[in-house]
Amino acid sequence: MLKALILGEEERGQSQYQVVCFIFHFPKDSFISSDAMSKLRQKNPSTIRTPEEDLGRTNHTMEYMVLLKHAGIISPHIVDLCAEAGPYTYTLHEDVIKWAAAQGIPVTSYKPALRRFPTSPDYFATNEIDNEETPTTKCSQTKNMWATCQCHLELCIGWYPCGLKYCKGKSSTKNSVLSYRCGIKTCRKCHLFAYYVSQKQQCLWDEDT
């Protein structure tokens, strides 16, 4: 889950900030264990850190708005963490399938917590006619501030502990090499989210340059 606070552009008539919340699947090996994290000590916290590995960017097309009053079906943490985002809380069908499988429940169990965007297929529909997508222009390609469009927002985690670092040394046995934990590996990772907005006014940063 990633939450972003986006400041308004006062010169373009936005006096308020907006909060968006993206709920998506993180592989278990994306972060180090809580035990290793509890032992992590950071020296010189004001130092600008450089990650050891750049994991690139992952693209996500968000197909649902998550209804917070029913979000406990997916996770009990969503309501509290995404409360400020409200209706601007999003997820995608691919990950809904993964979570349902992990819980051993039908994917349709999540349906009360999800509202499909007009641009997304109705994965729960039984009628093929109801499963047609409605095309939407990218927000970067329209000048109409009140038009519906597909917004893009990139969020990057510039530096975070992503794994354990292992070093090699000589063991007590002759001619053998011993591998031992000797630190924390750090990474950089970006996520590009595409999602539906009812007005370009909600996505002023997404413009062609």
Side-chain angles (χ1 to χ4, degrees), residues 99-137:
W99 298 327
Q103 291 183 294
I105 60 176
V107 68
T108 51
S109 300
Y110 290 150
K111 188 174 180 180
L114 305 171
R115 176 173 294 172
R116 180 178 67 96
F117 294 138
T119 53
S120 304
D122 188 349
Y123 296 99
F124 299 109
T126 56
N127 189 329
E128 292 184 1
I129 297 177
D130 297 330
N131 206 31
E132 296 179 357
E133 295 184 48
T134 303
T136 286
T137 304

Side-chain angles (χ1 to χ4, degrees), residues 11-178:
E11 67 277 10
R12 303 181 71 173
Q14 289 187 329
S15 58
Q16 303 291 327
Y17 65 85
Q18 61 175 304
V19 179
V20 292
C21 202
F22 300 106
I23 303 167
F24 59 102
H25 176 75
F26 277 100
K28 288 184 178 181
D29 59 357
S30 296
F31 300 94
I32 65 175
S33 68
S34 56
D35 175 64
M37 181 67 82
S38 67
K39 299 175 183 178
L40 180 63
R41 298 291 183 270
Q42 184 176 348
K43 298 179 180 178
N44 303 319
S46 61
T47 302
I48 297 176
R49 307 288 175 174
T50 301
E52 298 170 273
E53 184 176 355
D54 190 336
L55 299 179
R57 186 177 73 185
T58 300
N59 298 329
H60 308 271
T61 299
M62 313 308 279
E63 293 140 329
Y64 298 121
M65 180 179 76
V66 178
L67 305 177
L68 293 186
K69 64 179 180 180
H70 299 302
I73 302 172
I74 303 174
S75 168
H77 306 295
I78 295 175
V79 174
D80 291 333
L81 294 175
C82 297
E84 197 172 7
Y88 304 108
T89 303
Y90 308 103
T91 194
L92 59 165
H93 188 73
E94 176 185 350
D95 289 345
V96 168
I97 293 176
K98 293 178 183 177
W99 298 327
Q103 291 183 294
I105 60 176
V107 68
T108 51
S109 300
Y110 290 150
K111 188 174 180 180
L114 305 171
R115 176 173 294 172
R116 180 178 67 96
F117 294 138
T119 53
S120 304
D122 188 349
Y123 296 99
F124 299 109
T126 56
N127 189 329
E128 292 184 1
I129 297 177
D130 297 330
N131 206 31
E132 296 179 357
E133 295 184 48
T134 303
T136 286
T137 304
K138 294 179 180 179
C139 292
S140 60
Q141 297 174 347
T142 180
K143 299 298 182 183
N144 185 350
M145 289 294 139
W146 311 109
T148 60
C149 55
Q150 186 185 58
C151 184
H152 294 82
L153 178 64
E154 184 175 31
L155 300 177
C156 294
I157 305 173
W159 184 93
Y160 69 98
C162 58
L164 300 176
K165 188 185 297 183
Y166 290 90
C167 298
K168 293 182 179 181
K170 293 183 179 180
S171 68
S172 56
T173 305
K174 187 177 181 180
N175 298 326
S176 63
V177 178
L178 176 68

